[in-house]
Amino acid sequence: MSDMHRRSTRRRVYARRASVFGGFAALLGTLVLNGPAAQASPPTPPSAATARTQLASLTVKAEGSSDGYSRDKFPHWITQSGSCNTREEVLKRDGENVRTDSSCAATSGTWYSEYDGETWSASSDVDIDHVVPLSEAWKSGASSWTTAQRQAFANDLTHSQLIAVTDNVNQSKGDQDPAEWLPPRTAYHCVYARMWVSVKYTYKLNLDSAEKSALSDILNGC
């Protein structure tokens, strides 16, 4: 084979390789650009196995009294950064394509509620749920905390304690524990139980026997 023929053959091979690579790169780019968007959500709670271990370590006792409870004793929606308070930070985190004004209020975006599977385009239709309600925390040990500790609990963005959900679903929950209320969307029960246990474990809160039984049943089915 002549040198000229060899060079011509190599050029054709390289051209085919370049064409194949270029096609692969184009396909990869299409997958990256057009693939499903990541779903914004609260920090991921521990696995079901870890949650079962944490649940077993929690103190079981009768629920305490609500005497002296007030939401004001859990200062919430404090400033987190700039002009953004905790509620506004959760709306930005849990929403898609969220736009805010100069005061950090959400002016547009969409919010998918994990509790019931509904999607909302107005932030006024969305509540920020305390997974472990403030009143429940009070009756589980927070009544003996300092105001600073209760404030940290009510504005916790580090653990799975805050989540944006449909407002009337959150209102139907009130201060009920998992033995009394669970999200209407059953597919979320496992995650919800993991979130609940993680928060109670992190803050060393008690739980009553019915609450523990309900959580055990959910986690054992995860």
Side-chain angles (χ1 to χ4, degrees):
M1 182 182 296
S2 69
D3 288 344
M4 183 176 294
H5 184 65
R6 288 193 187 95
R7 287 195 293 272
S8 176
T9 300
R10 283 198 296 269
R11 281 196 296 271
R12 288 197 298 272
V13 170
Y14 295 158
R16 284 197 297 272
R17 288 175 179 169
S19 176
V20 170
F21 178 77
F24 176 74
L27 175 61
L28 179 61
T30 299
L31 291 173
V32 170
L33 292 174
N34 297 334
Q39 176 63 51
S41 60
T44 303
S47 67
T50 298
R52 286 192 289 270
T53 299
Q54 292 177 341
L55 180 62
S57 73
L58 293 175
T59 299
V60 178
K61 61 187 299 184
E63 190 168 83
S65 171
S66 59
D67 290 351
Y69 168 73
S70 166
R71 286 180 66 87
D72 292 340
K73 292 186 177 180
F74 291 79
H76 52 288
W77 306 166
I78 62 171
T79 300
Q80 291 286 347
S81 62
S83 59
C84 300
N85 66 26
T86 306
R87 171 182 164 81
E88 292 158 347
E89 289 289 359
V90 176
L91 287 173
K92 289 193 296 179
R93 182 196 70 191
D94 290 4
E96 295 287 344
N97 302 314
V98 177
R99 292 182 179 275
T100 59
D101 61 20
S102 58
S103 65
C104 202
T107 56
S108 64
T110 57
W111 292 269
Y112 175 75
S113 170
E114 293 282 8
Y115 285 4
D116 59 342
E118 297 293 334
T119 299
W120 304 97
S121 57
S123 62
S124 58
D125 290 322
V126 177
D127 275 357
I128 308 305
D129 181 38
H130 288 95
V131 172
V132 174
L134 305 182
S135 174
E136 166 69 22
W138 177 270
K139 293 178 287 188
S140 302
S143 60
S144 65
W145 294 353
T146 65
T147 299
Q149 288 173 316
R150 289 192 287 265
Q151 176 175 294
F153 176 83
N155 297 276
D156 187 354
L157 296 172
T158 303
H159 302 95
S160 50
Q161 164 66 342
L162 299 172
I163 183 172
V165 297
T166 302
D167 56 359
N168 59 6
V169 172
N170 180 50
Q171 290 152 22
S172 73
K173 171 184 173 178
D175 65 353
Q176 299 176 91
D177 69 35
E180 304 160 320
W181 186 93
L182 287 167
R185 182 169 161 254
T186 56
Y188 201 63
H189 286 184
C190 183
V191 176
Y192 184 78
R194 289 160 51 202
M195 294 166 75
W196 183 283
V197 172
S198 174
V199 172
K200 284 226 160 176
Y201 178 81
T202 298
Y203 287 93
K204 297 179 173 57
L205 293 169
N206 307 322
L207 74 171
D208 62 47
S209 56
E211 178 187 352
K212 181 175 182 178
S213 178
L215 289 164
S216 294
D217 288 346
I218 297 169
L219 293 173
N220 286 337
C222 289

